[in-house]
Amino acid sequence: MAANVRLLENRWDDAYAAGLDEPGKLLYRSNLLGADKRITNYGGGNTSAKVMETDPLTGGKVKVLWVKGSGGDVGTIKLDGFATLYQDKLESLKGIYKGVEDEDRMVGFLPHCTFNLNARAASIDTPLHGFVPFTHVDHMHPDAIIAIAASKNSKELTQQIFGDAIGWLPWRRPGFQLGLDLGAFVAANPNAKGVVLESHGLFTWANDAKACYELTLDIINKAIVWFAEKTEGKTIFGGAVTQSLAVAERRAIAARLMPEIRGRIGKQERKLGHFDDQDAVLEFVNSSDLRPLGALGTSCPDHFLRTKIRPLIVDFDPAKPDVDAIVAGLDKALEDYRADYARYYNDCKHDNSPAMRDANPVIFLVPGVGMLSFARDKATARIASEFYVNAINVMRGASTVSEYQGLPEQEAFDIEYWLLEEAKLQRMPKPKSLAGRVAFVTGGAGGIGRATAARLVGEGACVVLADIDQAALEGTEADFVKKFGADAVRSVRLDVTKEDAVIASFAEACVEFGGIDILVSNAGIASSAPIELTELATWNRNIDILATGYFLVSREAFRLFRRQALGGNVIFVASKNGLAASPNASAYCTAKAAEIHLARCLALEGADAGIRVNTVNPDAVLRGSKIWSGEWREQRAASSKIEVDDLEEHYRKRSMLKLNVFPEDIAEAIYFLASDLSAKSTGNIINVDAGNVQSFTR
């Protein structure tokens, strides 16, 4: 065996499995298989089991096919993600099938086979499982197998590696006929344990759940070992023609490029970005074969459905890293890509094909730097990147031991623009109001900042939490990841008074998400003292954070917004005290007044670029707010000549509406100003203070 081969690990737990019924074992097997991206990609492949169930209509026993439903992911699926069909009804469909021209019609019959009124829609792969006469069936997309399947002599390689244990079938679009082909293969080869599907993936089967799982791992491991041995010492991708830049340089270039790309491809629909510079990516983008292999497109349908048929390869020489030249050439590069995609569409379309979709690339490959991917949300952008890494691995194996072949354009088109695929797209839920947008929230780990970030994420935005309090930042990020998922949130420790730190934090946001659309400038402090007792350090600290800090983050946001050319939103969290003076708080009130006036100045400057700047003025937000957790609470209580514990009630009674104000109330106003609900508002102030006549805006 070649050195440093990492095999798939058998993670089956007999003790755990012993307590499961057959559907439970199917779920267990599915989750184990989907947990390793070397076995199958996200959302790719499917699993099934044929289970004897009690028929609710007759009370008798019937055979039921449990199979991963449409749109699911085997790694994260739950039991309700499986479609269930009467096996005998599914078999009966063979009698009405008229041939390959009948494929789409047959999908419409699958709901008629539903067992127990299961609402989960059956996928087009259902016949591929139903017509294999074994209890358990796995269909996976392992890189090592697809590398065989995507080789020009894949049939010979399959025989060479697996002998008679694993058969081979030529490429065919998944559907009813491929199910019949699989059934016919098993009938002709009763001792075979599976099949390699040309340009697609692997099928394996057994009559026991554990045996099926172990067989799948064994077949993939055999391919992994074979490739390791065959590629050891071989030149990969024709050898390197460029060298990778240092990590910091790669990220800096990504930070510069991603907003430029995002702005150019996101005018019709906002896009979020993902950056990947892992070793597998760098080996490919630095290689001699980058352009010829990239032009061939991907092979497995799952790959190109997520990544488009081919990537855009950026013209960049890492030995002479001229990023300005890349930016200058982006418009032409994108124009050429869109023209070629339109050519592909027009060459391959049918009379009933759906209209051409977004012609922009999903994958951008940059020599010496890595891969950039863009999609309508962060998760999809990340998954697209993962899929292209799968494609790289496939090309690596196939081109080293044989000759790599992508799917012919017509076959690719017929899957990409399949009417059934279009119907699936049309069924997708309407995007949330802030989908595709990124919010940068300073003071993001405090009460108002945290509540705001949660409100924006709840409406589909991704957020960058910026805060100087590292412990609070880590805790907030962990909570957000648990509640909203890891794709929705990033954090940066930030002192808003440090110019270099502000610049670096925005660059980090660009690498992580592709850019920023919303700035919520909320970082704050508070201090209270009579003027004669106010020290210069206190005065400077208020001005530094509440005025200079707001200037620094706004300036960086403006620079980014203008590069993206997608408009932008800035919301300042100021204070009632910016409009209404308070005794013993001159430093705080003056800094807040400067903040409000800065917002108005920025509204004037940003209007021509569609950048809106508005202000929210809270008052007396005691609960959850970090500025009230220190001396400020005691100081304000003393100023009002009341006890600390009476402060909240004091502010409630002082308000016109006699209501307390909470962080969530401020967050609601910020969401309004950040969203298109306020698309025609800039330079405005919203007071969220339960009513204070002194702070009425003028």
Side-chain angles (χ1 to χ4, degrees):
M1 185 185 301
N4 302 317
V5 176
R6 188 166 65 93
L7 296 177
L8 302 176
E9 181 184 351
N10 186 340
R11 297 179 178 176
W12 189 273
D13 184 337
D14 285 321
Y16 176 76
L20 302 174
D21 59 11
E22 286 303 313
K25 290 178 184 177
L26 169 63
L27 176 64
Y28 180 48
R29 180 173 103 243
S30 303
N31 292 161
L32 288 177
L33 292 169
D36 193 324
K37 295 297 182 288
R38 294 177 299 160
I39 297 174
T40 199
N41 42 262
Y42 179 87
N46 27 69
T47 50
S48 69
K50 300 174 183 73
V51 182
M52 298 306 296
E53 303 270 10
T54 301
D55 190 341
L57 295 176
T58 67
K61 291 293 185 180
V62 291
K63 185 179 288 187
V64 175
L65 174 67
W66 286 67
V67 60
K68 191 199 84 171
S70 180
D73 169 59
V74 292
T76 56
I77 197 171
K78 308 297 183 193
L79 269 181
D80 63 2
F82 290 92
T84 51
L85 302 93
Y86 287 95
Q87 180 67 27
D88 60 349
K89 291 186 178 183
L90 184 61
E91 293 280 354
S92 72
L93 297 181
K94 295 176 181 177
I96 61 172
Y97 178 59
K98 299 175 183 177
V100 291
E101 71 282 353
D102 207 28
E103 285 277 13
D104 288 9
R105 186 178 77 99
M106 298 308 294
V107 175
F109 287 107
L110 294 178
H112 294 278
C113 305
T114 300
F115 172 80
N116 203 26
L117 302 178
N118 187 353
R120 178 63 60 186
S123 79
I124 58 172
D125 282 353
T126 297
L128 282 61
H129 292 261
F131 299 158
V132 173
F134 283 83
T135 305
H136 298 273
V137 181
D138 291 337
H139 169 42
M140 299 288 113
H141 296 158
D143 293 349
I145 298 295
I146 302 176
I148 300 165
S151 297
K152 283 202 170 178
N153 61 334
S154 64
K155 185 176 183 179
E156 290 76 12
L157 291 180
T158 303
Q159 174 68 29
Q160 181 182 338
I161 300 167
F162 304 112
D164 295 334
I166 300 294
W168 179 92
L169 287 176
W171 160 258
R172 186 187 294 277
R173 189 176 67 176
F176 203 87
Q177 185 59 54
L178 184 54
L180 293 175
D181 293 348
L182 281 163
F185 173 86
V186 177
N189 302 274
N191 295 322
K193 299 176 180 179
V195 160
V196 169
L197 303 175
E198 185 184 26
S199 295
H200 191 154
L202 174 69
F203 261 87
T204 46
W205 45 75
N207 285 320
D208 176 78
K210 179 184 179 183
C212 192
Y213 169 76
E214 293 182 334
L215 172 64
T216 300
L217 263 59
D218 180 59
I219 297 303
I220 300 170
N221 277 333
K222 275 187 181 176
I224 290 172
V225 170
W226 186 86
F227 270 108
E229 292 173 347
K230 292 295 181 181
T231 59
E232 190 172 25
K234 296 275 185 75
T235 300
I236 307 299
F237 294 136
V241 293
T242 60
Q243 297 299 311
S244 299
L245 296 171
V247 174
E249 291 180 85
R250 299 200 297 265
R251 291 186 69 84
I253 290 171
R256 176 80 188 285
L257 285 181
M258 291 177 77
E260 299 284 352
I261 294 171
R262 183 173 183 249
R264 287 166 169 80
I265 68 174
K267 296 196 184 303
Q268 298 301 315
E269 179 186 63
R270 294 291 175 102
K271 303 290 177 67
L272 294 183
H274 183 77
F275 175 59
D276 191 336
D277 61 348
Q278 62 178 280
D279 290 346
V281 171
L282 291 172
E283 181 181 51
F284 184 57
V285 301
N286 293 342
S287 74
S288 170
D289 291 346
L290 168 63
R291 291 186 179 278
L293 284 175
L296 289 176
T298 54
S299 59
C300 180
D302 286 60
H303 295 175
F304 68 74
L305 279 174
R306 298 277 189 168
T307 65
K308 279 203 164 61
I309 189 167
R310 59 180 60 88
L312 188 154
I313 298 170
V314 177
D315 188 12
F316 179 67
D317 181 3
K320 302 173 183 176
D322 188 347
V323 184
D324 290 337
I326 299 182
V327 173
L330 274 177
D331 287 327
K332 179 63 164 61
L334 287 166
E335 182 184 328
D336 290 346
Y337 186 96
R338 293 176 191 128
D340 184 65
Y341 187 83
R343 188 269 319 151
Y344 154 75
Y345 176 86
N346 289 317
D347 286 353
C348 299
K349 69 178 180 180
H350 306 287
D351 290 342
N352 62 345
S353 292
M356 188 174 74
R357 305 192 192 109
D358 184 4
N360 287 299
V362 172
I363 303 294
F364 295 75
L365 301 177
V366 189
V369 176
M371 171 168 57
L372 318 175
S373 55
F374 293 87
R376 63 168 48 186
D377 57 66
K378 174 66 179 182
T380 305
R382 171 183 56 77
I383 291 166
S385 178
E386 292 174 0
F387 270 79
Y388 202 80
V389 171
N390 290 136
I392 289 171
N393 293 336
V394 168
M395 289 186 283
R396 187 185 197 276
S399 65
T400 306
V401 303
S402 176
E403 185 179 350
Y404 170 77
Q405 61 177 3
L407 270 183
E409 284 194 345
Q410 189 63 61
E411 294 290 342
F413 180 91
D414 288 346
I415 289 178
E416 185 178 356
Y417 284 90
W418 197 355
L419 292 178
L420 295 174
E421 188 68 31
E422 178 68 14
K424 187 188 296 184
L425 293 174
Q426 294 302 322
R427 291 196 301 269
M428 292 181 67
K430 183 181 178 183
K432 293 182 177 180
S433 63
L434 296 180
R437 287 168 169 80
V438 182
F440 190 100
V441 184
T442 70
I448 291 174
R450 180 175 175 140
T452 298
R455 183 71 176 92
L456 300 182
V457 174
E459 290 294 337
C462 291
V463 294
V464 179
L465 304 168
D467 207 292
I468 198 170
D469 186 334
Q470 184 67 37
L473 194 61
E474 290 174 359
T476 302
E477 182 178 20
D479 289 346
F480 272 52
V481 168
K482 186 176 181 180
K483 186 174 181 179
F484 302 112
D487 289 307
V489 60
R490 296 290 187 273
S491 67
V492 290
R493 186 178 183 277
L494 176 62
D495 181 345
V496 297
T497 70
K498 306 297 183 185
E499 182 178 21
D500 289 347
V502 170
I503 293 170
S505 68
F506 274 74
E508 185 68 14
C510 289
V511 175
E512 292 298 326
F513 292 121
I516 290 171
D517 305 282
I518 301 162
L519 168 65
V520 180
S521 193
N522 165 69
I525 60 164
S527 62
S528 178
I531 186 64
E532 63 268 31
L533 299 178
T534 300
E535 297 180 356
L536 179 60
T538 300
W539 175 272
N540 285 342
R541 180 163 167 75
N542 276 269
I543 298 298
D544 284 348
I545 294 172
L546 301 177
T548 305
Y550 279 56
F551 152 71
L552 287 173
V553 295
S554 300
R555 185 184 67 179
E556 207 56 31
F558 262 60
R559 288 170 172 171
L560 180 55
F561 292 159
R562 291 193 184 279
R563 286 167 55 204
Q564 293 178 152
L566 295 171
N569 247 311
V570 178
I571 302 98
F572 280 9
V573 180
S575 168
K576 174 266 298 183
N577 292 113
L579 296 175
S582 289
N584 302 325
S586 58
Y588 178 75
C589 294
T590 302
K592 284 294 182 179
E595 187 184 311
I596 290 171
H597 206 63
L598 173 61
R600 289 166 164 165
C601 293
L602 296 180
L604 290 171
E605 288 196 42
D608 66 323
I611 303 169
R612 300 193 291 117
V613 186
N614 294 285
T615 300
V616 175
N617 282 341
D619 185 42
V621 185
L622 276 71
R623 296 186 195 178
S625 177
K626 287 165 58 177
I627 70 168
W628 288 92
S629 61
E631 294 180 350
W632 177 250
R633 184 185 288 264
E634 287 78 14
Q635 291 165 346
R636 299 318 296 162
S639 179
S640 300
K641 298 181 173 57
I642 59 174
E643 296 297 319
V644 171
D645 291 343
D646 298 330
L647 197 60
E648 187 171 335
E649 180 67 7
H650 167 75
Y651 281 128
R652 187 188 69 79
K653 288 180 177 178
R654 189 188 69 179
S655 73
M656 295 164 60
L657 296 174
K658 309 301 184 213
L659 294 171
N660 292 125
V661 182
F662 302 116
E664 292 75 17
D665 301 321
I666 314 305
E668 195 63 36
I670 293 170
Y671 164 66
F672 170 74
L673 292 172
S675 74
D676 291 340
L677 294 169
S678 61
K680 298 180 181 179
S681 292
T682 193
N684 288 321
I685 297 172
I686 296 179
N687 290 332
V688 187
D689 56 8
N692 187 309
V693 67
Q694 292 183 327
S695 58
F696 284 3
T697 56
R698 297 167 179 87

